[in-house]
Amino acid sequence: MGVRQSWKKGEPIMAEEDYKGVWVFVEQTDGEPATVSWELLSVGADLARKLDVELCTMVIGDNVEHLCQESFVYGASKVYLIDAPVFHDYRTEPYYRAVRYLIDKYKPEVVLLGSTSLGRDLTGPVATELNTGLTEGCTELDIDENRLLLQTRPAYSGNIMATIVNERARPQISTVRPRAMEVPEKDTSRTGEIVRESMDISEEDIGVKVLEVIDSSKGEAGAIDITAADIIVCAGRGIQSSENFQMIQELADELGGAVACSRAAVEDGLTPVESWVGQSGTTVRPRIYIACGVSGAIQHTAGMRDSDVIIAINYDKQAPIFEVATFGIEGDVLQVVPAITRYVRELRARK
Ligand SMILES: Cc1cc2nc3c(=O)[nH]c(=O)nc-3n(C[C@H](O)[C@H](O)[C@H](O)COP(=O)(O)OP(=O)(O)OC[C@H]3O[C@@H](n4cnc5c(N)ncnc54)[C@H](O)[C@@H]3O)c2cc1C
């Protein structure tokens, strides 16, 4: 079991010194790592330097040893590896048992996971089993003068940024939003230590069986994971009606991108997508973000302003979105968007 301290404010944390190291959980599907795992290594390196401890990863899966070397290349110095067929497809039970086993045995001070569907599914049981705190969906992490992890995330529907501290239990567990941090520079000369572990768990011990894996990135509108998309076409209230959403989808399809929305577009029922980009929604950092009829309210730009290239289409040249845009098109979105789609189609046809 994890350590549950009987603690009163102001008292020192018992057994704190037993917990050392910053750990990142490497999320993977069929051996393909989720980019957020490497993003976590960039903030993890900063935390480890401030705490003067090792930066490690946990790699759990089936035939995933190659992710150890990738962990080193992105900055980890040690990897805790559990590699067995029972971990082939993600299921909550074997994974949380494996993570808990490693944490119980090696006692890291800080554990970071991506705030993805998998990361969010996994952290709840892990934190519960270990009797420790969990801060979900962080956008910033830091260390204070008492070695405590400062976990910052939007709160109260994005009205404030709250910094949360877990003073009384270890490890301190956070999930971090994809694209909130940058992937660190690769250094292919780096190596490190692999700690191989095994667990006494077999297929018969697990109640849930995976019958089929459906790739939601090839699904219908809105199913695409916008946090992983290189190109995003975002519909704002300026698209005016739900019928016009089709032209946003067509442009996204033509560019091989994903569709996203502003909160106002979702609240007005203009889109079939139920989540939005922004401070109280999802943070994205695509290569190209095309904002269609989006005014550029601060709550929206907070979630997309780090995109590499931002193209804004708006008929109001005073719209704040133009302040964050790399390229601005002043015009009617209902004419400009189909025109771009036609142009892209023509370019394709010429090839
Ligand atoms: C606590 C809190 C949290 C919030 N969190 C978020 C968040 O996470 N994400 C988010 O998006 N919002 C968020 N909001 C809402 C945010 O403040 C804005 O209201 C919202 O982003 C506006 O969306 P919009 O730009 O689509 O709509 P509007 O502000 O109504 O802008 C529509 C734009 O479209 C343009 N337009 C209209 N018709 C056309 C046309 N035919 N051609 C070209 N341009 C046209 C207009 O000039 C205008 O600039 C939050 C608000 C609060 C209070």
Side-chain angles (χ1 to χ4, degrees):
M1 273 297 282
V3 175
R4 171 98 194 185
Q5 290 103 7
S6 153
W7 180 86
K8 288 198 194 84
K9 196 157 175 49
E11 280 182 355
I13 300 158
M14 285 161 64
E16 183 191 13
E17 64 283 358
D18 295 343
Y19 287 79
K20 282 263 169 323
V22 174
W23 282 22
V24 166
F25 173 80
V26 177
E27 179 176 332
Q28 55 80 29
T29 309
D30 284 338
E32 265 300 305
T35 312
V36 67
S37 310
W38 311 139
E39 293 164 9
L40 292 174
L41 280 176
S42 88
V43 66
D46 187 42
L47 303 178
R49 190 175 39 75
K50 288 178 177 160
L51 289 166
D52 193 19
V53 294
E54 265 185 321
L55 176 62
C56 310
T57 62
M58 263 181 280
V59 172
I60 299 168
D62 179 24
N63 281 321
V64 287
E65 189 152 345
H66 60 285
L67 297 177
C68 300
Q69 185 51 36
E70 270 204 78
S71 298
F72 301 142
V73 162
Y74 284 112
S77 56
K78 193 185 274 179
V79 179
Y80 295 90
L81 172 68
I82 299 186
D83 200 333
V86 76
F87 298 106
H88 185 84
D89 290 308
Y90 173 77
R91 284 170 292 176
T92 315
E93 192 183 349
Y95 269 73
Y96 92 70
R97 284 173 60 178
V99 170
R100 184 195 156 170
Y101 169 79
L102 291 175
I103 292 176
D104 263 347
K105 184 159 177 186
Y106 295 100
K107 300 193 171 15
E109 198 167 356
V110 170
V111 177
L112 308 178
L113 298 92
S115 184
T116 57
S117 319
L118 188 155
R120 289 197 300 268
D121 184 74
L122 181 57
T123 38
V126 170
T128 307
E129 287 267 320
L130 293 167
N131 266 330
T132 190
L134 155 66
T135 305
E136 219 293 293
C138 297
T139 53
E140 267 180 66
L141 296 172
D142 205 350
I143 299 291
D144 78 356
E145 61 284 3
N146 299 317
R147 296 177 66 87
L148 289 170
L149 181 64
L150 302 173
Q151 307 161 95
T152 303
R153 54 152 297 153
Y156 297 108
S157 310
N159 275 310
I160 60 160
M161 295 301 280
T163 297
I164 294 158
V165 176
N166 169 6
E167 292 181 305
R168 53 187 298 190
R170 292 292 176 271
Q172 301 158 94
I173 305 182
S174 312
T175 68
V176 175
R177 293 181 181 208
R179 310 240 173 178
M181 321 278 168
E182 287 195 29
V183 174
E185 290 280 313
K186 268 187 169 188
D187 179 351
T188 48
S189 65
R190 284 183 56 101
T191 56
E193 183 191 346
I194 301 176
V195 179
R196 289 183 173 74
E197 280 286 347
S198 58
M199 273 192 69
D200 186 18
I201 182 166
S202 69
E203 193 54 51
E204 291 69 48
D205 299 328
I206 304 161
V208 174
K209 307 291 170 206
V210 176
L211 304 179
E212 187 187 0
V213 178
I214 297 166
D215 183 354
S216 66
S217 69
K218 300 194 174 64
E220 56 193 24
I224 297 177
D225 177 9
I226 54 171
T227 61
D230 275 341
I231 301 178
I232 292 178
V233 184
C234 176
R237 195 185 260 147
I239 68 162
Q240 296 170 15
S241 75
S242 55
E243 289 72 40
N244 292 332
F245 181 79
Q246 186 55 29
M247 67 176 69
I248 302 295
Q249 183 70 56
E250 277 174 24
L251 177 56
D253 290 347
E254 210 55 51
L255 295 170
V259 288
C261 303
S262 70
R263 179 159 155 180
V266 174
E267 286 176 349
D268 286 6
L270 305 181
T271 84
V273 183
E274 284 176 2
S275 59
W276 53 79
V277 167
Q279 183 185 299
S280 57
T282 307
T283 302
V284 296
R285 194 182 269 186
R287 283 197 297 118
I288 303 175
Y289 188 89
I290 307 178
C292 308
V294 175
S295 60
I298 184 102
Q299 295 90 353
H300 184 82
T301 56
M304 47 64 79
R305 66 179 162 221
D306 290 329
S307 306
D308 293 348
V309 172
I310 297 169
I311 301 170
I313 308 164
N314 197 307
Y315 62 23
D316 174 10
K317 69 172 174 203
Q318 308 293 340
I321 192 71
F322 289 126
E323 287 163 26
V324 297
T326 324
F327 302 105
I329 302 174
E330 193 191 324
D332 184 345
V333 82
L334 306 182
Q335 291 176 1
V336 175
V337 169
I340 300 176
T341 309
R342 273 197 305 277
Y343 184 64
V344 175
R345 259 185 213 139
E346 278 167 29
L347 284 181
R348 283 252 164 74
R350 272 188 234 157
K351 277 191 184 167

Short mmCIF file of all heavy atoms in Angstrom, two decimals, residues 118-165:
data_model
loop_
_atom_site.label_atom_id
_atom_site.label_comp_id
_atom_site.label_asym_id
_atom_site.label_seq_id
_atom_site.Cartn_x
_atom_site.Cartn_y
_atom_site.Cartn_z
N LEU A 118 -6.62 7.84 -21.99
CA LEU A 118 -5.94 6.75 -21.27
C LEU A 118 -5.36 7.27 -19.95
O LEU A 118 -5.55 6.66 -18.89
CB LEU A 118 -4.84 6.17 -22.16
CG LEU A 118 -4.12 4.92 -21.70
CD1 LEU A 118 -3.55 4.15 -22.90
CD2 LEU A 118 -3.02 5.15 -20.69
N GLY A 119 -4.67 8.40 -20.02
CA GLY A 119 -4.02 8.94 -18.82
C GLY A 119 -5.04 9.23 -17.73
O GLY A 119 -4.82 8.92 -16.55
N ARG A 120 -6.18 9.79 -18.13
CA ARG A 120 -7.20 10.13 -17.13
C ARG A 120 -7.83 8.87 -16.56
O ARG A 120 -8.19 8.81 -15.39
CB ARG A 120 -8.26 11.04 -17.75
CG ARG A 120 -7.73 12.44 -18.01
CD ARG A 120 -8.87 13.42 -18.23
NE ARG A 120 -9.68 13.03 -19.35
CZ ARG A 120 -9.50 13.46 -20.60
NH1 ARG A 120 -8.53 14.29 -20.87
NH2 ARG A 120 -10.29 13.06 -21.57
N ASP A 121 -7.96 7.85 -17.41
CA ASP A 121 -8.55 6.59 -16.93
C ASP A 121 -7.62 5.91 -15.92
O ASP A 121 -8.07 5.34 -14.92
CB ASP A 121 -8.77 5.65 -18.13
CG ASP A 121 -9.45 4.36 -17.72
OD1 ASP A 121 -10.66 4.42 -17.45
OD2 ASP A 121 -8.78 3.32 -17.65
N LEU A 122 -6.34 6.01 -16.19
CA LEU A 122 -5.35 5.29 -15.38
C LEU A 122 -5.06 5.97 -14.04
O LEU A 122 -4.90 5.29 -13.02
CB LEU A 122 -4.05 5.18 -16.21
CG LEU A 122 -2.86 4.45 -15.63
CD1 LEU A 122 -3.22 3.02 -15.25
CD2 LEU A 122 -1.72 4.43 -16.65
N THR A 123 -4.99 7.29 -14.05
CA THR A 123 -4.53 7.98 -12.83
C THR A 123 -5.50 7.85 -11.65
O THR A 123 -5.05 7.77 -10.51
CB THR A 123 -4.30 9.49 -13.06
OG1 THR A 123 -5.31 9.97 -13.91
CG2 THR A 123 -2.95 9.77 -13.61
N GLY A 124 -6.80 7.85 -11.96
CA GLY A 124 -7.78 7.77 -10.86
C GLY A 124 -7.54 6.57 -9.97
O GLY A 124 -7.29 6.71 -8.76
N PRO A 125 -7.57 5.35 -10.54
CA PRO A 125 -7.34 4.17 -9.70
C PRO A 125 -5.96 4.16 -9.04
O PRO A 125 -5.81 3.74 -7.89
CB PRO A 125 -7.47 2.99 -10.65
CG PRO A 125 -8.03 3.51 -11.91
CD PRO A 125 -7.97 5.01 -11.91
N VAL A 126 -4.95 4.64 -9.77
CA VAL A 126 -3.59 4.63 -9.20
C VAL A 126 -3.56 5.52 -7.96
O VAL A 126 -3.10 5.12 -6.89
CB VAL A 126 -2.54 5.10 -10.24
CG1 VAL A 126 -1.20 5.34 -9.57
CG2 VAL A 126 -2.40 4.08 -11.36
N ALA A 127 -4.07 6.76 -8.11
CA ALA A 127 -4.04 7.69 -6.97
C ALA A 127 -4.89 7.18 -5.82
O ALA A 127 -4.52 7.29 -4.65
CB ALA A 127 -4.53 9.07 -7.42
N THR A 128 -6.02 6.56 -6.14
CA THR A 128 -6.90 6.03 -5.09
C THR A 128 -6.20 4.91 -4.33
O THR A 128 -6.18 4.88 -3.09
CB THR A 128 -8.21 5.50 -5.71
OG1 THR A 128 -8.76 6.54 -6.51
CG2 THR A 128 -9.22 5.09 -4.66
N GLU A 129 -5.61 3.99 -5.09
CA GLU A 129 -4.92 2.87 -4.45
C GLU A 129 -3.75 3.33 -3.58
O GLU A 129 -3.46 2.73 -2.56
CB GLU A 129 -4.38 1.93 -5.53
CG GLU A 129 -5.46 1.11 -6.21
CD GLU A 129 -5.64 -0.23 -5.55
OE1 GLU A 129 -4.63 -0.83 -5.18
OE2 GLU A 129 -6.80 -0.66 -5.39
N LEU A 130 -3.08 4.38 -4.02
CA LEU A 130 -1.91 4.84 -3.28
C LEU A 130 -2.27 5.87 -2.21
O LEU A 130 -1.39 6.37 -1.51
CB LEU A 130 -0.89 5.47 -4.24
CG LEU A 130 -0.24 4.50 -5.23
CD1 LEU A 130 0.50 5.27 -6.31
CD2 LEU A 130 0.73 3.57 -4.50
N ASN A 131 -3.57 6.20 -2.12
CA ASN A 131 -4.02 7.20 -1.14
C ASN A 131 -3.29 8.52 -1.29
O ASN A 131 -2.88 9.13 -0.31
CB ASN A 131 -3.79 6.69 0.29
CG ASN A 131 -5.02 6.02 0.82
OD1 ASN A 131 -6.13 6.38 0.45
ND2 ASN A 131 -4.81 5.05 1.69
N THR A 132 -3.11 8.93 -2.52
CA THR A 132 -2.42 10.20 -2.72
C THR A 132 -3.28 11.13 -3.57
O THR A 132 -4.34 10.74 -4.04
CB THR A 132 -1.03 9.98 -3.35
OG1 THR A 132 -0.31 11.22 -3.32
CG2 THR A 132 -1.12 9.49 -4.78
N GLY A 133 -2.81 12.35 -3.74
CA GLY A 133 -3.58 13.35 -4.49
C GLY A 133 -3.28 13.27 -5.97
O GLY A 133 -2.26 12.73 -6.39
N LEU A 134 -4.20 13.83 -6.74
CA LEU A 134 -4.05 13.83 -8.19
C LEU A 134 -4.59 15.15 -8.71
O LEU A 134 -5.68 15.57 -8.34
CB LEU A 134 -4.87 12.67 -8.76
CG LEU A 134 -5.34 12.77 -10.20
CD1 LEU A 134 -4.16 12.75 -11.16
CD2 LEU A 134 -6.28 11.62 -10.52
N THR A 135 -3.80 15.83 -9.54
CA THR A 135 -4.30 17.05 -10.18
C THR A 135 -4.39 16.80 -11.67
O THR A 135 -3.39 16.47 -12.31
CB THR A 135 -3.39 18.25 -9.88
OG1 THR A 135 -3.26 18.37 -8.47
CG2 THR A 135 -4.01 19.54 -10.42
N GLU A 136 -5.59 16.95 -12.20
CA GLU A 136 -5.88 16.58 -13.58
C GLU A 136 -5.79 17.81 -14.49
O GLU A 136 -6.19 18.90 -14.11
CB GLU A 136 -7.32 16.04 -13.60
CG GLU A 136 -7.57 14.87 -14.50
CD GLU A 136 -7.43 15.23 -15.95
OE1 GLU A 136 -8.24 16.01 -16.46
OE2 GLU A 136 -6.49 14.72 -16.56
N GLY A 137 -5.25 17.61 -15.70
CA GLY A 137 -5.32 18.64 -16.74
C GLY A 137 -4.46 19.86 -16.48
O GLY A 137 -4.88 20.99 -16.78
N CYS A 138 -3.25 19.65 -15.94
CA CYS A 138 -2.38 20.81 -15.65
C CYS A 138 -1.87 21.44 -16.95
O CYS A 138 -1.70 20.77 -17.96
CB CYS A 138 -1.18 20.36 -14.81
SG CYS A 138 -1.67 19.72 -13.22
N THR A 139 -1.62 22.74 -16.86
CA THR A 139 -1.01 23.43 -18.00
C THR A 139 0.39 23.94 -17.64
O THR A 139 1.15 24.32 -18.51
CB THR A 139 -1.87 24.62 -18.45
OG1 THR A 139 -2.13 25.44 -17.31
CG2 THR A 139 -3.18 24.17 -19.04
N GLU A 140 0.71 23.96 -16.35
CA GLU A 140 2.03 24.41 -15.90
C GLU A 140 2.41 23.64 -14.66
O GLU A 140 1.55 23.35 -13.82
CB GLU A 140 1.97 25.88 -15.49
CG GLU A 140 2.33 26.87 -16.56
CD GLU A 140 2.23 28.27 -16.00
OE1 GLU A 140 3.03 28.61 -15.10
OE2 GLU A 140 1.31 28.98 -16.44
N LEU A 141 3.70 23.33 -14.53
CA LEU A 141 4.19 22.67 -13.33
C LEU A 141 5.47 23.35 -12.89
O LEU A 141 6.27 23.78 -13.71
CB LEU A 141 4.49 21.19 -13.61
CG LEU A 141 3.32 20.29 -14.00
CD1 LEU A 141 3.82 18.93 -14.44
CD2 LEU A 141 2.32 20.15 -12.85
N ASP A 142 5.66 23.44 -11.58
CA ASP A 142 6.90 24.03 -11.07
C ASP A 142 7.17 23.44 -9.67
O ASP A 142 6.35 22.68 -9.15
CB ASP A 142 6.76 25.56 -11.00
CG ASP A 142 8.11 26.26 -11.08
OD1 ASP A 142 9.15 25.57 -11.01
OD2 ASP A 142 8.11 27.49 -11.21
N ILE A 143 8.30 23.82 -9.12
CA ILE A 143 8.65 23.33 -7.77
C ILE A 143 8.83 24.56 -6.88
O ILE A 143 9.45 25.54 -7.30
CB ILE A 143 10.00 22.56 -7.83
CG1 ILE A 143 9.89 21.33 -8.76
CG2 ILE A 143 10.47 22.15 -6.42
CD1 ILE A 143 9.00 20.22 -8.27
N ASP A 144 8.29 24.50 -5.65
CA ASP A 144 8.48 25.65 -4.76
C ASP A 144 9.69 25.42 -3.85
O ASP A 144 10.38 24.41 -3.95
CB ASP A 144 7.19 25.97 -3.98
CG ASP A 144 6.95 25.04 -2.80
OD1 ASP A 144 7.73 24.08 -2.60
OD2 ASP A 144 5.97 25.27 -2.07
N GLU A 145 9.91 26.37 -2.94
CA GLU A 145 11.12 26.31 -2.11
C GLU A 145 11.08 25.14 -1.12
O GLU A 145 12.11 24.74 -0.58
CB GLU A 145 11.34 27.65 -1.38
CG GLU A 145 10.27 28.12 -0.41
CD GLU A 145 9.02 28.69 -1.08
OE1 GLU A 145 8.92 28.69 -2.32
OE2 GLU A 145 8.10 29.10 -0.34
N ASN A 146 9.90 24.54 -0.90
CA ASN A 146 9.80 23.38 -0.01
C ASN A 146 9.76 22.06 -0.78
O ASN A 146 9.28 21.05 -0.26
CB ASN A 146 8.54 23.49 0.86
CG ASN A 146 8.58 24.72 1.74
OD1 ASN A 146 9.61 25.02 2.33
ND2 ASN A 146 7.47 25.45 1.79
N ARG A 147 10.21 22.10 -2.02
CA ARG A 147 10.23 20.92 -2.89
C ARG A 147 8.82 20.41 -3.26
O ARG A 147 8.65 19.27 -3.68
CB ARG A 147 11.01 19.74 -2.24
CG ARG A 147 12.47 20.01 -2.01
CD ARG A 147 13.12 18.83 -1.32
NE ARG A 147 13.14 17.64 -2.15
CZ ARG A 147 14.11 17.36 -3.02
NH1 ARG A 147 15.14 18.17 -3.15
NH2 ARG A 147 14.06 16.26 -3.74
N LEU A 148 7.82 21.26 -3.07
CA LEU A 148 6.47 20.81 -3.41
C LEU A 148 6.18 21.11 -4.88
O LEU A 148 6.63 22.12 -5.43
CB LEU A 148 5.44 21.54 -2.55
CG LEU A 148 5.40 21.14 -1.08
CD1 LEU A 148 4.52 22.09 -0.29
CD2 LEU A 148 4.89 19.71 -0.92
N LEU A 149 5.42 20.22 -5.48
CA LEU A 149 5.05 20.40 -6.88
C LEU A 149 3.89 21.39 -6.98
O LEU A 149 2.83 21.20 -6.37
CB LEU A 149 4.63 19.04 -7.47
CG LEU A 149 4.23 19.02 -8.94
CD1 LEU A 149 5.40 19.40 -9.85
CD2 LEU A 149 3.69 17.64 -9.32
N LEU A 150 4.09 22.46 -7.73
CA LEU A 150 3.05 23.46 -7.96
C LEU A 150 2.32 23.06 -9.25
O LEU A 150 2.92 23.08 -10.32
CB LEU A 150 3.65 24.85 -8.09
CG LEU A 150 4.48 25.32 -6.90
CD1 LEU A 150 5.16 26.66 -7.20
CD2 LEU A 150 3.60 25.45 -5.65
N GLN A 151 1.06 22.70 -9.12
CA GLN A 151 0.31 22.15 -10.25
C GLN A 151 -0.76 23.15 -10.67
O GLN A 151 -1.75 23.34 -9.95
CB GLN A 151 -0.33 20.82 -9.84
CG GLN A 151 0.69 19.84 -9.25
CD GLN A 151 0.05 18.73 -8.44
OE1 GLN A 151 -0.18 17.65 -8.97
NE2 GLN A 151 -0.23 18.97 -7.18
N THR A 152 -0.55 23.79 -11.80
CA THR A 152 -1.47 24.86 -12.20
C THR A 152 -2.40 24.37 -13.30
O THR A 152 -1.96 23.75 -14.27
CB THR A 152 -0.66 26.08 -12.69
OG1 THR A 152 0.20 26.48 -11.63
CG2 THR A 152 -1.56 27.24 -13.08
N ARG A 153 -3.67 24.68 -13.13
CA ARG A 153 -4.69 24.28 -14.10
C ARG A 153 -5.88 25.24 -14.05
O ARG A 153 -6.10 25.90 -13.02
CB ARG A 153 -5.19 22.86 -13.83
CG ARG A 153 -5.69 22.61 -12.41
CD ARG A 153 -6.73 21.53 -12.37
NE ARG A 153 -7.89 21.94 -13.14
CZ ARG A 153 -8.74 21.11 -13.73
NH1 ARG A 153 -8.57 19.83 -13.65
NH2 ARG A 153 -9.79 21.56 -14.40
N PRO A 154 -6.65 25.34 -15.14
CA PRO A 154 -7.84 26.19 -15.09
C PRO A 154 -8.86 25.62 -14.11
O PRO A 154 -8.98 24.40 -13.97
CB PRO A 154 -8.40 26.14 -16.52
CG PRO A 154 -7.34 25.53 -17.36
CD PRO A 154 -6.49 24.70 -16.46
N ALA A 155 -9.55 26.50 -13.40
CA ALA A 155 -10.58 26.05 -12.45
C ALA A 155 -11.81 26.95 -12.59
O ALA A 155 -11.72 28.02 -13.19
CB ALA A 155 -10.04 26.11 -11.03
N TYR A 156 -12.91 26.53 -12.02
CA TYR A 156 -14.18 27.27 -12.10
C TYR A 156 -14.47 27.67 -13.55
O TYR A 156 -14.54 28.85 -13.88
CB TYR A 156 -14.17 28.49 -11.17
CG TYR A 156 -14.06 28.08 -9.72
CD1 TYR A 156 -12.89 28.30 -9.01
CD2 TYR A 156 -15.11 27.45 -9.08
CE1 TYR A 156 -12.76 27.89 -7.70
CE2 TYR A 156 -15.00 27.04 -7.76
CZ TYR A 156 -13.82 27.26 -7.09
OH TYR A 156 -13.70 26.85 -5.78
N SER A 157 -14.59 26.67 -14.41
CA SER A 157 -14.89 26.86 -15.83
C SER A 157 -13.90 27.79 -16.51
O SER A 157 -14.23 28.52 -17.42
CB SER A 157 -16.29 27.42 -16.04
OG SER A 157 -17.23 26.68 -15.35
N GLY A 158 -12.67 27.78 -16.04
CA GLY A 158 -11.65 28.58 -16.70
C GLY A 158 -11.58 30.01 -16.21
O GLY A 158 -10.83 30.82 -16.73
N ASN A 159 -12.38 30.36 -15.18
CA ASN A 159 -12.36 31.74 -14.68
C ASN A 159 -11.07 32.09 -13.98
O ASN A 159 -10.68 33.24 -13.94
CB ASN A 159 -13.53 31.97 -13.71
CG ASN A 159 -14.79 32.32 -14.46
OD1 ASN A 159 -14.79 33.20 -15.31
ND2 ASN A 159 -15.86 31.61 -14.16
N ILE A 160 -10.45 31.10 -13.36
CA ILE A 160 -9.18 31.35 -12.68
C ILE A 160 -8.19 30.23 -13.02
O ILE A 160 -8.59 29.16 -13.44
CB ILE A 160 -9.32 31.42 -11.14
CG1 ILE A 160 -9.89 30.10 -10.60
CG2 ILE A 160 -10.16 32.60 -10.70
CD1 ILE A 160 -9.63 29.90 -9.13
N MET A 161 -6.93 30.54 -12.86
CA MET A 161 -5.92 29.49 -12.93
C MET A 161 -5.59 29.15 -11.47
O MET A 161 -5.20 30.03 -10.70
CB MET A 161 -4.66 29.97 -13.65
CG MET A 161 -4.89 30.30 -15.11
SD MET A 161 -5.52 28.91 -16.09
CE MET A 161 -4.02 27.98 -16.38
N ALA A 162 -5.79 27.90 -11.09
CA ALA A 162 -5.54 27.49 -9.70
C ALA A 162 -4.22 26.75 -9.62
O ALA A 162 -3.90 25.95 -10.50
CB ALA A 162 -6.67 26.57 -9.24
N THR A 163 -3.45 27.04 -8.58
CA THR A 163 -2.22 26.27 -8.36
C THR A 163 -2.45 25.36 -7.17
O THR A 163 -2.76 25.83 -6.06
CB THR A 163 -1.03 27.21 -8.14
OG1 THR A 163 -0.85 27.95 -9.35
CG2 THR A 163 0.25 26.42 -7.87
N ILE A 164 -2.33 24.07 -7.41
CA ILE A 164 -2.71 23.06 -6.41
C ILE A 164 -1.45 22.39 -5.89
O ILE A 164 -0.53 22.08 -6.66
CB ILE A 164 -3.66 22.04 -7.06
CG1 ILE A 164 -4.97 22.77 -7.42
CG2 ILE A 164 -3.93 20.86 -6.15
CD1 ILE A 164 -5.77 22.12 -8.49
N VAL A 165 -1.42 22.19 -4.57
CA VAL A 165 -0.24 21.59 -3.94
C VAL A 165 -0.69 20.39 -3.12
O VAL A 165 -1.69 20.46 -2.41
CB VAL A 165 0.44 22.63 -3.02
CG1 VAL A 165 1.60 22.00 -2.28
CG2 VAL A 165 0.94 23.81 -3.83
#
